[in-house]
Amino acid sequence: MANRALNLLRASTTVVPITTRRSSFLSPNIWSPRTVEVKQRRSKRSYSTSSLEPPDVSRLAETARISLSPEEVEEFGPKIRQVIDWFGKLQDVDLQSVEPAIRADTEGDNIRDDIPETFPNREAIIATIPNFEDSYIKVPKVLNKE
Amino acid sequence: MALTFFRGVQTRPLLSYPSIYFALRKHNVSYCNMQNTQLETTERQEGQLKGSTREIHSKPHDKLLKDFEAVIGIETHVQLSTQTKAFCSCPYNYGAAPNTSICPVCMGLPGALPVLNSKVIEAAVKVGLALNCSLSLDSKFDRKQYFYPDLPKGYQISQFDVPIASSGSLDVDLPVEYGGGHRRFGITRVHMEEDAGKLLHTGSGNYSQVDLNRAGVPLLEIVSEPDMRTGIEAAEYAAEIQRLVRYLDVSNGNMQEGSLRCDVNISVRPTGQQEFGTKVEIKNLNSFSSVSRAIDYEISRQVDLHTQGLADQIVQETRLWEEGSQKTITMRKKEGLADYRYFPEPDLPGVTLSEEYINSIGSSLPELPETKRRRYENMGLSMQDVLFLANDITVAKFFDATIAGGADVKLAANWIMGDIAAYMKNAKVSISDIKLSSEELCELIASIKGGTISGKMGKEILFELMAKGGTVKGLIKDKDLVQIVDPVEIEKIVDKVLADNPKQLEQYRGGKTKLQGFFAGQVMKESKGKANPKLLNQILLQKLNATS
């Protein structure tokens, strides 16, 4: 797990010439200090997690479509923070002499030929759909995204 | 989970488009009559063009338009015509019964893993090369997360910070009716991704229906630089993308079926202003003429707001083009940046391309539309001819085959653009549906040029060939259409006609020389239309003017 995470982190630090980019993966109000900080990290190559701001748990819950009570928000904040700090230790690894990789190494390409194959047990999939009617999946009326 | 966060922190943001600004030119800004353009493709329905001559907005004053600049960029989604979906082996057929082409992978069931279809990479490399892009030897897939009922997994597999191709260009020839001209538009990037399912909104009832057949079908997203200035330029850019993917045979490019979808980004600002205007996105454009008309409408709308001092009413939003009212309407306002929380797709390895692979694809690329047009132009064809012939790959192939058989270039172009095109339009068929082969057209042209048959007879034969098939030689024989080119034969007929019409002959010789036409007609009639007209006139004149 940690190795994989390490790879991802390596990757991200090298793929991205960070100077002009603003963080938008996560919106600024979740991880606001990124812009400046990532830039510094990049140039110094010394990583530290101590400056991470506490996560905005309410917003994280919203983006994940999870309902949390205010008590839960209180409770989860420090826990999430703990996990992040734990993974944050990876930032201490010296990557000065490490070649960048954008993905974890895998053995060869894993691609397939373009040959159609019908999945045999589609009925079982359909059977698990909570609301299926007239060949369609029935969902609450939606007109707009977001 | 925590990995997600870390990754998120350090990767790059949503693409922001560099912008290029330009002045609107007054002659083609606000009115758009698409009736004569070459933009339509062969499968376009006649009815679609009806009503397109309608004026789309209150007439903006040229002066006002000159005071503003517009910026237009286009995002195009091209559905690849692979046999299977992008990450699973489900077959995809447009129009299949709903929710029949599904499996655990495209339904996003737990434990199911995606495996990339090799054809998707091939198509992406083809398009990337054809668009003069730089290809990434190492790219990867990312997850774009959002919640919507047409997206079973809760994320779309896409490419984010490392697209497979970037920094290219596309050459376009504007339609002659709009003043023509050649343009080169920048291509920001091309990336691979999967389509979502289809949502149907029932007229009544408070529910929507989802068909997931399309979920997971491979797409290429092609993002242009904001290099376009007018609706015509944008429509022609889109038409060229369609031509390109059809030439490359990676997609059917059919807009009605949604295999080619264009989203337009457009902003307007007062000329000379440094900051960009507020960008509006227009969706629901399902024909090239709607691309053009929607843009011209939107420019007018934004310029009007500017001139009324209401520029602050232009907000960043997504607008829908309404074909019925010929207007754009608000679909949704954007509140801040969408938060897609991209991170690398952990279920898929990176996408690596070898130089050999790229070279082998590069050397197998067909002649592209732009190259074809320049070649036709160099053959001496007019721009009108060039654009017509190169517009549709099947027509271009037919033309190429005809001239490869030795047919005169201009004559071949004339037949294809004239009688053949008219026939196709009438019968609503494509050139591959007609029974005429390029070999027979070649033969027909040669037969006329060689004098075996007249042009008029050629026409007659042509329609028979298109409708029923057969060969030129066979039809000439069957119909006894061989032109009479033997002067002795023609002389005989002339003599007979003169003998049959002594009165008229006398009048002619008395000075009524207009009667030459009468005699020519009689001779032609006598020969059942087969006399070579040139010889006929020559001999007739000789005889008429003979002293005795």
Side-chain angles (χ1 to χ4, degrees), chain B residues 289-479:
Chain B
S289 67
S290 61
V291 168
S292 171
R293 281 176 284 133
I295 287 173
D296 289 337
Y297 173 86
E298 190 58 25
I299 292 174
S300 292
R301 187 186 72 89
Q302 294 187 25
V303 166
D304 281 356
L305 287 171
H306 272 284
T307 53
Q308 290 159 24
L310 300 171
D312 56 344
Q313 285 187 14
I314 304 170
V315 292
Q316 193 181 333
E317 61 176 339
T318 301
R319 298 179 71 87
L320 279 186
W321 172 246
E322 272 197 348
E323 201 63 50
S325 62
Q326 299 282 298
K327 281 179 176 172
T328 62
I329 53 154
T330 296
M331 179 187 174
R332 60 174 185 260
K333 310 253 183 207
K334 288 224 167 121
E335 286 154 16
L337 270 177
D339 185 359
Y340 293 124
R341 293 160 293 135
Y342 281 96
F343 70 88
E345 167 58 81
D347 290 343
L348 286 164
V351 179
T352 51
L353 304 174
S354 67
E355 294 282 359
E356 300 83 66
Y357 179 74
I358 295 172
N359 291 340
S360 75
I361 300 262
S363 58
S364 69
L365 286 185
E367 184 180 39
L368 299 173
E370 169 70 6
T371 324
K372 207 177 266 297
R373 288 194 299 264
R374 298 288 80 82
R375 180 164 63 83
Y376 288 172
E377 208 178 9
N378 289 334
M379 286 175 173
L381 291 173
S382 75
M383 205 54 196
Q384 191 89 43
D385 296 2
V386 168
L387 294 184
F388 180 93
L389 293 168
N391 180 48
D392 182 333
I393 177 75
T394 58
V395 172
K397 276 184 178 159
F398 191 92
F399 173 70
D400 282 339
T402 308
I403 58 173
D408 179 272
V409 170
K410 186 66 195 165
L411 290 176
N414 287 348
W415 280 106
I416 293 172
M417 292 179 60
D419 292 311
I420 297 176
Y423 177 86
M424 293 193 303
K425 200 175 166 184
N426 239 327
K428 294 199 167 78
V429 293
S430 82
I431 204 155
S432 34
D433 297 329
I434 62 174
K435 299 212 168 89
L436 169 77
S437 68
S438 59
E439 291 82 11
E440 290 310 314
L441 178 60
C442 200
E443 180 71 31
L444 185 72
I445 292 168
S447 302
I448 297 166
K449 219 179 176 186
T452 314
I453 51 171
S454 68
K456 206 180 154 207
M457 291 171 187
K459 227 175 192 181
E460 214 174 289
I461 291 177
L462 180 82
F463 281 97
E464 187 126 1
L465 286 171
M466 288 191 290
K468 295 179 192 158
T471 64
V472 174
K473 283 194 175 124
L475 280 173
I476 291 174
K477 214 178 147 199
D478 291 353
K479 295 184 163 260

Side-chain angles (χ1 to χ4, degrees), chain A residues 1-2 4-13 15-18 20-31 34 38 41 47 49 52 55 59-60 62-66 80 83-91 101-106 108-126 128-129 132-146, chain B residues 1-14 81-92 97-104 107 109 114-119 121 138-142 146-150 160-162 198-212 331-353:
Chain A
M1 192 62 174
R4 193 157 200 186
L6 185 63
N7 270 323
L8 292 177
L9 286 170
R10 265 184 211 159
S12 60
T13 53
V15 171
V16 188
I18 276 150
T20 57
R21 298 194 181 129
R22 290 192 323 112
S23 158
S24 67
F25 269 152
L26 296 172
S27 62
N29 50 0
I30 300 180
W31 303 111
R34 279 327 89 204
V38 172
R41 283 186 191 175
Y47 299 89
T49 55
L52 282 176
R59 198 179 145 82
L60 282 177
E62 194 191 318
T63 51
R65 302 293 192 275
I66 297 169
I80 294 172
V83 174
I84 290 171
D85 282 349
W86 185 65
F87 275 98
K89 292 200 167 91
L90 292 168
Q91 304 277 41
I102 62 166
R103 294 292 285 120
D105 286 342
T106 44
D109 280 346
N110 184 22
I111 54 175
R112 61 181 173 82
D113 291 333
D114 186 28
I115 298 163
E117 226 175 280
T118 302
F119 184 70
N121 200 5
R122 288 171 292 170
E123 293 74 24
I125 300 179
I126 300 284
T128 64
I129 297 171
F132 193 78
E133 212 177 280
D134 300 331
S135 313
Y136 287 99
I137 300 163
K138 208 170 154 185
V139 297
K141 192 159 195 139
V142 264
L143 288 172
N144 288 348
K145 266 182 197 181
E146 287 142 51
Chain B
M1 196 64 172
L3 285 184
T4 314
F5 298 155
F6 265 109
R7 178 61 192 177
V9 168
Q10 295 185 328
T11 329
R12 62 187 281 187
L14 285 163
S81 50
T82 50
Q83 297 292 305
T84 68
K85 294 186 177 183
F87 302 109
C88 61
S89 299
C90 286
Y92 179 70
N99 295 303
T100 53
S101 199
I102 53 171
C103 77
M107 291 293 282
L109 299 190
V115 183
L116 178 61
N117 181 347
S118 57
K119 281 275 174 195
I121 303 183
D138 282 295
S139 66
K140 65 180 172 76
F141 284 101
D142 301 278
Y146 62 89
F147 291 96
Y148 208 58
D150 61 8
F160 183 57
D161 52 340
V162 193
K198 215 177 257 176
L199 255 179
L200 292 103
H201 305 292
T202 49
S204 57
N206 54 347
Y207 63 94
S208 297
Q209 294 177 309
V210 190
D211 172 11
L212 292 176
M331 179 187 174
R332 60 174 185 260
K333 310 253 183 207
K334 288 224 167 121
E335 286 154 16
L337 270 177
D339 185 359
Y340 293 124
R341 293 160 293 135
Y342 281 96
F343 70 88
E345 167 58 81
D347 290 343
L348 286 164
V351 179
T352 51
L353 304 174

